[in-house]
Amino acid sequence: MHIVGTGLLGTSLGLALTRGGCVVTLEDTSPTAVRLAADMGAGTAADPHPDTGLVVVAAPPDVAADVIVAQLRALPDATVTDVASVKGVVLDRVRALTVGTELDRYIGSHPMAGRERSGAVSARVDLFEARPWVVCSDEATPAGRLDQVVAVAEAVGASVLHLEPEFHDSSVARVSHVPQVVSSLMAAQLTDMPVEGIALAGQGLRDVIRIAASDPGLWTQILAGNAAEVRAVLTALRDDLDRVVDALALETGSYAVLASAIAAGNEGHRRIPGKHGQAPMVYAIVTVVVGDEPGGLARLFTDVHALGVNVEDVRIDHATGHRLGSLDIMVLPDREQDLVVGLQQRGWRLPEHPEPDEAQATSTTVEDGSAG
């Protein structure tokens, strides 16, 4: 196996494959980058063996096609794939540059995995586990070469999806590329905001702008490479945004427009696959206050484990100005009460679930009318 490009994806792929016993050689235009990847254990900085069967090009989108063609000619028997986040523009250029049967040895692919940080230093051996890996092929793709690409994706724990390049690019515009733009634009609204106002930021804002820390250079290439699809989605989004802006004049019918916008978001949110790609599931949320101290989270999860309750997901929200935070533990609805009672008995503070004595006191106060 030969990997060309030792950034986040290339190095992560090398780490995962070498852990599984695969012999990997690494190549990059930057000597420092390839040495770093090799030092991290992603493979050996060396030219590919003449008998190399598969080359993975992990180069930036704007140069991926040229690197693919160069590898097709350097290793005339090898299958070449790439991990660029746009497929149509890469395939078009490879098709234009190749001759004879060279194109038959190229199969485009794209692992739907990444991080806000780039470079080999940010690589993770588990980056592709349980993530979709798109493979673009058609009826003319040689089965043996297709099997090579699929085997690599499965070897690093990914789930393979076979999609046409056009459908892939249209889909990622909505689930990846436009969300990046929206996140960046929202984060940019904070640049001139007084620090006292930013201190009010909660988990909602953090969720929206999490990916705004991404690499500007890389994302410029991605957006340019998928420009037509991204522009179409942004245009539709702009139309929806204009309707909301107009509705905020609060004229007749405005409230219906605002409610409709939020409701449409609810519907879209429900379509996102659930855990492990299963059908969406509504979980019960149990909020626990946790002090910001060594061992706090470990103790909480140990108690949850002792109660025999499976944690489906978690979310942490840090309190501003205090050394504590709240942890939302998501569990199956039929286990919510078991978790609530069990954690209360172990001394945990659950602000949305008062202790039985507190609940009784509150009820008595209301019935007496002393709360006003």
Side-chain angles (χ1 to χ4, degrees):
M1 164 75 67
H2 187 57
I3 298 176
V4 184
T6 52
L8 171 65
L9 294 184
T11 303
S12 295
L13 181 60
L15 289 172
L17 291 172
T18 53
R19 182 182 65 174
C22 181
V23 176
V24 178
T25 52
L26 304 170
E27 177 183 345
D28 197 287
T29 55
S30 167
T32 300
V34 74
R35 286 187 178 184
L36 174 59
D39 285 349
M40 292 176 63
T44 304
D47 293 332
H49 190 278
D51 294 332
T52 295
L54 180 65
V55 178
V56 178
V57 173
D62 62 344
V63 299
D66 294 326
V67 178
I68 290 166
V69 174
Q71 292 299 315
L72 288 170
R73 292 172 181 167
L75 295 166
D77 294 323
T79 300
V80 179
T81 188
D82 72 303
V83 294
S85 58
V86 290
K87 301 271 59 95
V89 67
V90 173
L91 175 59
D92 290 344
R93 181 158 176 78
V94 171
R95 182 182 285 119
L97 294 175
T98 50
V99 296
T101 60
E102 289 177 336
L103 185 62
D104 294 340
R105 294 187 288 115
Y106 166 65
I107 300 174
S109 70
H110 175 213
M112 296 296 295
R115 303 184 67 189
E116 299 83 53
R117 293 170 290 179
S118 59
V121 72
S122 300
R124 288 176 42 171
V125 70
D126 62 347
L127 187 68
F128 307 103
E129 290 186 8
R131 302 297 301 168
W133 189 309
V134 176
V135 176
C136 297
S137 60
D138 55 34
E139 62 278 358
T141 303
R145 298 192 183 279
L146 178 60
D147 289 344
Q148 288 178 284
V149 178
V150 170
V152 167
E154 293 179 342
V156 297
S159 177
V160 175
L161 297 175
H162 296 272
L163 301 177
E164 295 181 352
E166 295 79 9
F167 183 81
H168 166 274
D169 290 353
S170 175
S171 298
V172 295
R174 289 164 176 78
V175 304
S176 176
H177 301 170
V178 169
Q180 174 64 58
V181 174
V182 172
S183 178
S184 296
L185 292 177
M186 186 62 240
Q189 294 296 311
L190 307 178
T191 54
D192 296 324
M193 186 175 178
V195 66
E196 294 83 2
I198 296 178
L200 301 175
Q203 195 59 40
L205 177 66
R206 297 176 196 276
D207 288 345
V208 170
I209 69 170
R210 179 182 61 82
I211 57 175
S214 299
D215 182 353
L218 174 62
W219 272 98
T220 298
Q221 296 175 29
I222 293 172
L223 295 174
N226 202 22
E229 294 291 348
V230 171
R231 182 171 182 171
V233 179
L234 284 174
T235 298
L237 183 62
R238 180 182 62 189
D239 292 342
D240 288 342
L241 184 59
D242 283 342
R243 281 190 285 273
V244 171
V245 171
D246 291 343
L248 289 173
L250 301 182
E251 297 176 350
T252 302
S254 292
Y255 287 81
V257 173
L258 297 176
S260 176
I262 302 301
N266 293 163
E267 180 63 27
H269 185 271
R270 283 192 289 268
R271 299 199 64 197
I272 298 175
K275 188 177 178 182
H276 307 311
Q278 299 172 353
M281 178 72 182
V282 177
Y283 297 118
I285 300 176
V286 177
T287 302
V288 186
V289 175
V290 183
D292 186 5
E293 57 190 15
L297 286 176
R299 185 166 61 87
L300 173 60
F301 284 119
T302 297
D303 285 348
V304 173
H305 174 72
L307 293 168
V309 177
N310 186 58
V311 176
E312 304 294 338
D313 203 350
V314 296
R315 181 174 58 235
I316 301 177
D317 189 5
H318 299 281
T320 301
H322 299 279
R323 293 187 62 80
L324 54 82
S326 60
L327 183 75
D328 290 339
I329 303 176
M330 296 166 213
V331 299
L332 294 176
D334 61 354
R335 300 308 310 275
E336 177 184 11
Q337 193 60 25
D338 295 335
L339 182 60
V340 168
V341 173
L343 290 179
Q344 287 177 335
Q345 290 175 343
R346 285 163 170 78
W348 292 98
R349 178 183 164 199
L350 282 60
E352 297 180 6
H353 297 274
E355 295 281 358
D357 290 344
E358 295 179 23
Q360 179 63 36
T362 300
S363 175
T364 300
T365 300
V366 173
E367 290 172 3
D368 290 344
S370 57

